[in-house]
Amino acid sequence: MNRVVITGVGLITALGTGVEKSWNAIKEGKIGVRHIQGFDTEGFPVKIAGEVIDFNPEEYGMPKKELKKLARFTQFGIAASKMALEDSGYKITDENAYKVGVLVSSGIGGLEILEAQHSVMLEKGPKRMSPFTIPALIENMGAGNISIYLGAKGPSKTIVTACAAGTHSIGDAYRMIKYGEADAMLAGGTEACITPFGVAGFAALKALSTRNDEPEKASRPFTKDRDGFVMGEGAGVLFLESLESAKKRGAKIYAEVIGYGATSDAYHITAPAAGGEGAARAFKLALEEAGVELTDVDYINAHGTSTPANDKNETAAIKSVFGEHAFDLAVSSTKGATGHALGGAGGIEGAILALAIDEEVLPPTVNYDNPDEECDLDYVPNQARKRKINVGLSSSLGFGGHNAVIAFKKYTD
């Protein structure tokens, strides 16, 4: 079986387009949540989100005349994949293209296309709808267009598991290389659903923070006064390849992928299972495949949505798996800074974990100023911290009871 390593990273978040902008801002404790600029929020109970405001798709090779065929989540996915591929230094050629695949997923897909074309159909009739409506909005068109733009002719797939989609994608891509189905994979998540329908839908569910008067304080993972998550958008894509390929090319290796766990709660459509039972099993499966001791784990980039139920149950899951070591390892949620990018979150947080391991920096949990006695771990409050991370985990827990955990390790021969 192949060892699998990360040699490229692409990142787009509310903190900035590009790895350097987003990662530096996270380390500095900056926050990308602000009042929504993309549409008029008059009458909406929620007026804040983590929008990406500096993105220009034409800078990533998408011609202006083609953009009507590419939903915003697809544009993010193409741009982040280009970043990751260029960062890796890997060249897709006629000889290797058939063994390079794409597994970049989304939770909702082209919601803005659906909204706009539905209005056209109602106001002007069905014959006025764009012929590109369906090809632009469906979730798999993120991965499909990435393969087209980059010439990757290997396996191309999309996994739709709500907020766990990005992490499932990295885990499944890791297995595809491990077992020889592909030599290299672009893997992660992308999402762009800060639209009237998207915000209204999650607001109706009472899942979102309503701290409209202080947006930068709204996402408060693991604090006592958290009141819901803040929608974010963006993409995180990793370039994964076999260790043999990376060594042959002399590529920089950010981290090694060593384990993956996926489980279902089989419990409720939105609420997590009591005590984080399903999440705990995903942590255990990832650790089992990784073949490491509990005490080898130094850091967890948690799902940490800032909802009352998630943070409490995820904390319980970590304690049930790690016992006393849960109080020695560091746990943080970067969603306080980026917002929650739903199906894109796992890709973004996988990228952050790889960067954290490479630079030996623990990213902080911002807005951590009112501890909750039920959330009593080391959440790296408000400031980044230097620490060598031998083994780090990233968890994603989606509506429908979908749980995914990936394990990365600092690379050594």
Side-chain angles (χ1 to χ4, degrees):
M1 288 183 287
N2 296 311
R3 290 173 68 182
V4 181
V5 294
I6 300 162
T7 57
V9 179
L11 197 53
I12 300 171
T13 74
L15 294 162
T17 295
V19 171
E20 191 173 350
K21 281 186 185 177
S22 284
W23 177 233
N24 286 342
I26 286 170
K27 290 188 291 185
E28 292 166 10
K30 294 183 177 177
I31 296 170
V33 177
R34 54 185 75 84
H35 287 109
I36 292 172
Q37 300 178 19
F39 65 92
D40 183 358
T41 59
E42 179 69 27
F44 281 73
V46 174
K47 303 175 186 296
I48 56 176
E51 287 181 304
V52 176
I53 58 174
D54 66 343
F55 177 68
N56 179 1
E58 293 178 70
E59 293 179 3
Y60 297 91
M62 290 169 261
K64 193 171 184 177
K65 65 179 182 180
E66 294 293 312
L67 297 181
K68 61 185 177 184
K69 304 175 187 175
L70 305 171
R72 186 169 164 86
F73 86 100
T74 294
Q75 296 173 20
F76 285 160
I78 292 170
S81 296
K82 279 196 163 188
M83 288 179 207
L85 183 63
E86 288 173 10
D87 186 34
S88 77
Y90 192 98
K91 303 297 182 189
I92 299 178
T93 65
D94 290 344
E95 288 71 34
N96 65 25
Y98 295 93
K99 295 291 278 185
V100 180
V102 180
L103 218 170
V104 176
S105 297
S106 173
I108 296 182
L111 205 54
E112 86 280 14
I113 304 289
L114 179 64
E115 289 179 38
Q117 293 303 313
H118 186 252
S119 295
V120 169
M121 183 188 73
L122 293 179
E123 294 168 9
K124 300 180 180 178
K127 292 183 179 178
R128 297 293 298 277
M129 285 179 64
S130 166
F132 303 116
T133 300
I134 301 302
L137 73 86
I138 52 181
E139 285 89 342
N140 65 298
M141 279 304 173
N145 278 295
I146 292 166
S147 70
I148 292 166
Y149 270 75
L150 300 185
K153 296 184 178 180
S156 176
K157 302 180 184 178
T158 292
I159 296 172
V160 182
T161 47
C163 304
T167 299
H168 275 134
S169 299
I170 296 170
D172 281 13
Y174 151 66
R175 294 255 177 89
M176 292 168 77
I177 299 171
K178 179 177 179 178
Y179 295 115
E181 187 177 349
D183 291 339
M185 294 290 295
L186 287 150
T190 180
E191 199 79 88
C193 54
I194 303 174
T195 69
F197 192 86
V199 172
F202 279 105
L205 197 57
K206 307 293 185 190
L208 300 180
S209 171
T210 55
R211 277 192 177 85
N212 295 313
D213 294 336
E214 45 180 2
E216 72 283 357
K217 295 286 187 182
S219 183
R220 310 174 63 78
F222 302 111
T223 64
K224 193 168 189 172
D225 50 359
R226 64 193 184 276
D227 70 333
F229 76 83
V230 173
M231 286 180 70
E233 63 177 355
V237 176
L238 300 176
F239 188 78
L240 309 181
E241 63 182 307
S242 68
L243 175 60
E244 182 183 2
S245 168
K247 289 178 75 171
K248 193 180 296 181
R249 299 190 307 108
K252 169 185 170 66
I253 296 174
Y254 286 91
E256 181 173 1
V257 188
I258 55 172
Y260 170 44
T263 65
S264 299
D265 282 354
Y267 173 71
H268 190 272
I269 58 171
T270 57
E277 181 271 338
R281 284 186 288 112
F283 278 116
K284 288 176 182 175
L285 288 172
L287 292 168
E288 185 177 306
E289 182 170 23
V292 297
E293 301 294 328
L294 295 177
T295 51
D296 292 332
V297 178
D298 298 301
Y299 171 63
I300 298 172
N301 188 300
H303 191 53
T305 56
S306 179
T307 62
N310 176 89
D311 296 2
K312 177 181 70 175
N313 284 291
E314 189 170 16
T315 296
I318 293 169
K319 289 196 285 190
S320 74
V321 172
F322 289 93
E324 284 302 310
H325 184 60
F327 298 94
D328 295 327
L329 56 81
V331 178
S332 68
S333 168
T334 41
K335 289 186 175 73
T338 63
H340 182 8
L342 310 177
I348 290 170
E349 288 152 23
I352 290 170
L353 176 59
L355 294 164
I357 290 173
D358 179 54
E359 292 192 15
E360 303 184 352
V361 172
L362 299 174
T365 301
V366 296
N367 291 326
Y368 188 82
D369 53 14
N370 190 10
D372 180 347
E373 57 271 14
E374 289 191 274
C375 300
D376 53 354
L377 302 177
D378 173 11
Y379 299 108
V380 196
N382 299 315
Q383 290 189 329
R385 191 188 306 160
K386 286 291 290 184
R387 176 172 174 174
K388 184 178 180 181
I389 304 169
N390 292 304
V391 176
L393 309 177
S394 180
S395 57
S396 293
L397 317 173
F399 281 175
H402 304 294
N403 309 301
V405 174
I406 46 176
F408 296 171
K409 179 183 179 184
K410 195 167 189 67
Y411 168 69
T412 54
D413 269 327

